[in-house]
């Protein structure tokens, strides 16, 4: 069987990428790259701490007989006998009070999806445009934020179209997606597996359903399929058809299904805003009428005119402000809705786990603070970071005080923090490029 080697897999991926650059027709021989070596690398790249799917098998249990399990998986995938298991659905609260459905595939299904993703990613990386940042190698949300800011500054303001696709991951059209995939993928094994994942059912509270639209929930293949779909619906359309017809400059920044468009001229922005719903409707998608808006995004006038509007994107509010040198620049701070949502989660956690050992609570809250600062710790966002840390301390103090009738004074809590100090709320130095 050979030994598992990430470098061997990487070499094969480079071959796929090289072939995709010169061959613009559908590639018909791709699945042969998937062998035991390939599957072992897929296992290595798959998270092991996730909740089990409907079969109840954990990563650790699956790896007890890894060779046998992977050989069986490979045989079933290549022969067409593999049956995509239903996804276990759970719900998590959203910031607006509603609930977001999350899918949990089986570990084996995660491995196979990862293996197919490893084949398709180098192929489609030759197709995707620079405006797309979500779930792509070497790209991040902070790069998307930097791109938005730098292009807006370079254009010296203008008009911004904020767009929200209504329930994108739940409404994506299966038939049209499969047609788009066939343009570049002609391998029957891969096409069959993608079709099975699209038609896999969902299980929740003992009930089984089979959605007629949407991407496989919770699987690694879902973001890639979404990118393939929106590459055609939006990115390619903007680059090839929209931009050449505009009077002024324009740009698109997309992260998965979140995107904004910037325009130098109002007339261009209004033309695109008018035609955009029709373009999306052609592919079975709907824009949210209340969350899609056009705003004038220019630096404030010196004559004291109307204050400029702010823009929310990827959890940050982007607003005009003066730098220390007195220049108008675009700064970023944590969006109010995201800060409120994050603090609500902390308060609920502190309430539910107030009787857990202090060391355990401290470890969890340290992870929360570090994670928050790792994402929101852009330069200039220190006030929002400080507020988050202050509110975390208040929540922890409040619910520790509910462990007994005597409560806990702030002095005593401050003394406790000497032994269980929370991390400082400061900008993440690695994000300097996100807001230079």
């Amino acid at each position: 069987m050979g030994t598992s080697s990430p470098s061997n897999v990487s070499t094969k991926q480079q071959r796929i990428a090289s072939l995709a650059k010169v061959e613009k027709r559908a590639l018909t021989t791709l699945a042969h790259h998937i062998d035991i070596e390939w599957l072992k690398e897929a296992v290595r790249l798959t998270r092991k701490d996730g909740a089990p799917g409907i079969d109840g098998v954990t990563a650790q249990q699956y790896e007890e007989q890894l060779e046998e399990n992977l050989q069986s998986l490979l045989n079933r995938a290549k022969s067409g006998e593999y049956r995509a298991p239903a996804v276990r659905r759970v719900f998590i609260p959203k910031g607006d009070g509603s609930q977001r459905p999350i899918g949990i595939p089986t570990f084996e299904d995660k491995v196979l999806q990862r293996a197919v993703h490893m084949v398709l990613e180098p192929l489609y990386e030759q197709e995707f445009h620079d405006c797309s940042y979500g779930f792509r190698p070497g790209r991040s949300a902070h790069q998307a934020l930097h791109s938005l800011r730098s292009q807006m500054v370079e254009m010296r303001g203008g008009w911004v179209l904020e767009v929200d696709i209504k329930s994108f991951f739940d409404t994506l059209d299966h038939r049209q997606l499969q047609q788009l995939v066939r343009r570049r993928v002609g391998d029957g094994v891969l096409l069959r597996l993608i079709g099975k994942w699209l038609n896999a059912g969902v299980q929740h509270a003992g009930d089984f359903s089979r959605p007629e639209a949407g991407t496989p929930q919770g699987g690694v293949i879902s973001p890639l399929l979404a990118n393939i779909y929106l590459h055609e619906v939006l990115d390619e359309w903007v680059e090839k058809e929209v931009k050449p017809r505009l009077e002024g400059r324009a740009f698109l920044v997309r992260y998965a299904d979140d995107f904004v468009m910037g325009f130098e001229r109002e007339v261009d922005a209004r033309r695109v805003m008018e035609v955009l719903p029709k373009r999306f409707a052609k592919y079975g998608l709907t824009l949210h009428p209340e969350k899609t808006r056009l705003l004038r995004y220019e630096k404030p006038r010196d004559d004291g005119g109307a204050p400029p509007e702010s823009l929310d994107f990827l959890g940050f509010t982007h607003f005009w402000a003066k730098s220390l040198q007195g220049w108008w620049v675009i700064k970023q701070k944590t969006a109010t809705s995201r800060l409120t949502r994050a603090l609500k989660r902390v308060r609920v956690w502190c309430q539910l786990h107030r009787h857990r050992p202090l060391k355990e609570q401290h470890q969890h809250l340290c992870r929360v603070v570090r994670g928050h600062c790792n994402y929101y710790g852009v330069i200039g966002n220190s006030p929002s970071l400080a507020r988050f840390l202050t509110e975390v301390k208040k929540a922890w103090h409040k619910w520790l005080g509910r462990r007994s009738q005597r409560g806990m004074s702030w002095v005593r809590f401050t003394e406790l923090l000497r032994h269980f100090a929370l991390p400082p709320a400061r900008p993440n130095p690695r994000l300097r490029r996100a807001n230079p």
Side-chain angles (χ1 to χ4, degrees), residues 95-146:
D96 58 5
S98 61
Q99 291 189 315
R100 182 192 303 275
I102 297 294
I104 304 177
T106 65
F107 181 76
E108 183 175 71
D109 201 51
K110 290 178 184 177
V111 170
L112 188 55
Q113 286 193 34
R114 172 66 68 180
V116 172
H117 181 279
M118 289 159 53
V119 174
L120 297 182
E121 184 179 76
L123 189 164
Y124 279 102
E125 278 301 304
Q126 315 312 311
E127 304 286 312
F128 293 157
H129 292 289
D130 287 341
C131 61
S132 167
Y133 291 88
F135 304 102
R136 294 181 58 189
R139 288 174 166 250
S140 68
H142 291 102
Q143 289 177 335
L145 292 165
H146 173 63

Side-chain angles (χ1 to χ4, degrees), residues 168-240:
F168 169 71
F169 284 95
D170 296 328
T171 59
L172 187 149
D173 185 271
H174 289 175
R175 181 182 59 82
Q176 296 203 62
L177 172 59
Q178 288 174 300
Q179 288 177 350
L180 293 177
V181 172
R182 287 191 186 98
R183 291 184 185 179
R184 294 299 278 136
V185 180
D187 189 296
V189 171
L190 300 187
L191 291 173
R192 186 166 57 234
L193 286 172
I194 290 172
K196 289 181 177 182
W197 283 320
L198 290 174
N199 292 302
V202 174
Q203 186 169 301
H204 174 63
D207 295 327
F208 177 85
S209 62
R210 196 182 298 279
E212 297 181 358
T215 58
Q217 293 186 31
V220 69
I221 202 71
S222 179
L224 177 58
L225 295 177
N227 271 337
I228 293 171
Y229 204 75
L230 287 175
H231 169 76
E232 172 67 22
V233 177
L234 183 65
D235 306 354
E236 188 82 349
W237 176 67
V238 168
E239 292 297 326
K240 301 290 180 64

Side-chain angles (χ1 to χ4, degrees), residues 130-131 147-148 150-152 154-161 234-235 237-254 260-273 294:
D130 287 341
C131 61
S147 177
L148 167 62
S150 60
Q151 291 188 87
M152 211 71 232
E154 181 184 348
M155 213 158 59
R156 297 183 180 180
W159 294 80
V160 173
L161 185 56
L234 183 65
D235 306 354
W237 176 67
V238 168
E239 292 297 326
K240 301 290 180 64
E241 297 185 39
V242 173
K243 284 186 177 180
R245 292 178 169 86
L246 300 181
E247 296 181 12
R249 290 180 293 175
F251 66 84
L252 165 69
V253 178
R254 180 174 68 81
V260 294
M261 296 184 69
F263 301 88
E264 185 179 21
R265 300 192 177 185
E266 180 183 2
V267 62
D268 291 335
R270 295 200 178 279
R271 284 172 59 197
V272 173
M273 186 178 185
L294 179 64

